[in-house]
Amino acid sequence: MQELTPKQAADWLIQCEDAHILVHRSPDGDCTGGGFALLHMLRQMGKRAAVVCEDGIPERYGFLCPPDAQAAPDFAPQCVISVDVADKKLLGARTEAVYGERVDLCIDHHMSNVPFSPYRCLNGQAAAACEVLYDILQHLPVTLTDAMAACLYTGIATDTGCFQFDNARAATHRAIADLMERCPGVPYAWINRQMFAVKSLGRLRLEQRMVDQLEIYRGGACVLMCITQAFMQQYQVDEAELEGIAGFPLQVAGAEVGITMKEKEPGLFRVSMRSADRVNVAAICQRLGGGGHVKAAGCQVTGTAEAAKRKLLDAIMEGWND
């Protein structure tokens, strides 16, 4: 595998044609914004490009999608690019079966990235994959458009918790300032409201009950919340509406690690871990086949809710001081 700088990645993109852009299952703002930002860049250079996502793009990100975005690609790819995918397993089983051995270039910001392509543009210090794409954009023969800026802003804003996380470094703020100066017509405040303030009535009702779902371990240093399918059905919310919920357990005073379990299908839980400061949750998730950042990571566990909790808690007890 060859590591590429943003300039080298831009040179590679200039040469590529007919690209399928892969983003991870359960898409968030960063992979969605990054995937469509890259699509706009490639199309402006006269290339065919399409975004592929196993789970489809959630309605809340519909404002980022071109009119043809949800249609299946109508052309065979000459190159395949992944965006914000730290491991090909995160593509989803169906997408991995088709594309897992065909990815040519990986664009990512996860230090836990497992190489699966001959070329990789990785910046583990970047707050988001969209920040890496912003750096690549500076070397492409394209003009920054409002559509690109909206995509890049959304990805960076969501992966930094609206700039409250410590991954929002000085370079991150400079990138955002540049987008806002060059594309002042983008409704940045509206994007913030849609991403961080607007919630369905079901989600608000769910939040009323989430406190009752909190489980306390290690004397309050570890807080766990389990959201089952039955619970989501009761409050009429879908998984897309639960984005951002991973930080909820860390709102408890004294919590060092927050764990959110979401039941994707019966017996399969997707887990998000967040660390307040000292605990490396990426190392803990790696014990369970996952990964991520030191303070934000994820994995999957199987079994009943109680069995899945026990697996998580065992891994946490073993890896707390790693």
Side-chain angles (χ1 to χ4, degrees), residues 28-300:
D28 58 12
D30 190 25
C31 78
T32 304
F36 287 115
L38 181 56
L39 177 144
H40 289 302
M41 296 174 201
L42 292 172
R43 287 184 174 180
Q44 193 179 124
M45 291 190 289
K47 306 171 188 298
R48 289 194 292 182
V51 172
V52 176
C53 178
E54 178 150 317
D55 290 342
I57 304 300
E59 183 179 349
R60 72 193 306 256
Y61 301 121
F63 70 98
L64 299 177
C65 304
D68 63 344
Q70 298 286 23
D74 59 359
F75 61 91
Q78 293 187 31
C79 64
V80 178
I81 307 161
S82 68
V83 174
D84 195 40
V85 180
D87 188 315
K88 64 181 180 181
K89 294 184 296 184
L90 299 177
L91 294 169
R94 297 189 306 276
T95 305
E96 183 183 356
V98 175
Y99 294 99
E101 304 304 320
R102 300 181 60 189
V103 178
D104 300 298
L105 171 64
C106 171
I107 299 172
D108 194 22
H109 70 120
H110 295 94
M111 287 300 295
S112 62
N113 184 282
V114 178
F116 57 92
S117 61
Y119 298 98
R120 182 174 72 173
C121 183
L122 173 70
N123 180 356
Q125 301 302 311
C130 280
E131 187 177 333
V132 181
L133 281 161
Y134 169 83
D135 291 338
I136 293 172
L137 172 66
Q138 310 313 309
H139 305 284
L140 288 173
V142 300
T143 300
L144 177 67
T145 63
D146 284 0
M148 289 180 204
C151 288
L152 295 175
Y153 180 88
T154 300
I156 294 172
T158 52
D159 254 27
T160 59
C162 208
F163 311 100
Q164 66 177 313
F165 302 154
D166 59 8
N167 63 341
R169 58 203 180 116
T172 308
H173 288 286
R174 284 194 290 268
I176 291 297
D178 184 48
L179 294 177
M180 298 180 82
E181 287 175 349
R182 294 165 64 187
C183 296
V186 173
Y188 300 103
W190 179 87
I191 292 173
N192 288 342
R193 173 171 164 72
Q194 296 304 306
M195 294 298 102
F196 302 102
V198 174
K199 301 172 184 177
S200 71
L201 184 59
R203 167 65 186 265
L204 290 171
R205 286 174 174 160
L206 175 65
E207 289 187 356
Q208 287 181 310
R209 296 297 306 277
M210 284 191 328
V211 173
D212 297 332
Q213 297 295 112
L214 296 178
E215 300 178 22
I216 308 300
Y217 300 93
R218 291 185 65 103
C222 178
V223 181
L224 182 148
M225 179 174 64
C226 181
I227 304 295
T228 63
Q229 286 194 323
F231 201 70
M232 287 189 286
Q233 290 166 5
Q234 179 182 354
Y235 292 98
Q236 298 182 317
V237 294
D238 58 28
E239 188 173 350
E241 290 184 277
L242 296 180
E243 185 175 341
I245 210 171
F248 189 80
L250 273 188
Q251 294 181 34
V252 178
E256 288 292 329
V257 172
I259 309 165
T260 302
M261 302 169 56
K262 292 184 289 188
E263 191 175 23
K264 178 66 176 177
E265 58 188 57
L268 175 63
F269 290 86
R270 291 188 181 160
V271 178
S272 296
M273 288 192 196
R274 298 292 184 267
S275 172
D277 189 21
R278 298 185 296 273
V279 180
N280 182 347
V281 292
I284 294 172
C285 286
Q286 284 170 352
R287 293 171 179 265
L288 298 165
H293 303 288
V294 171
K295 294 187 178 182
C299 61
Q300 288 191 167

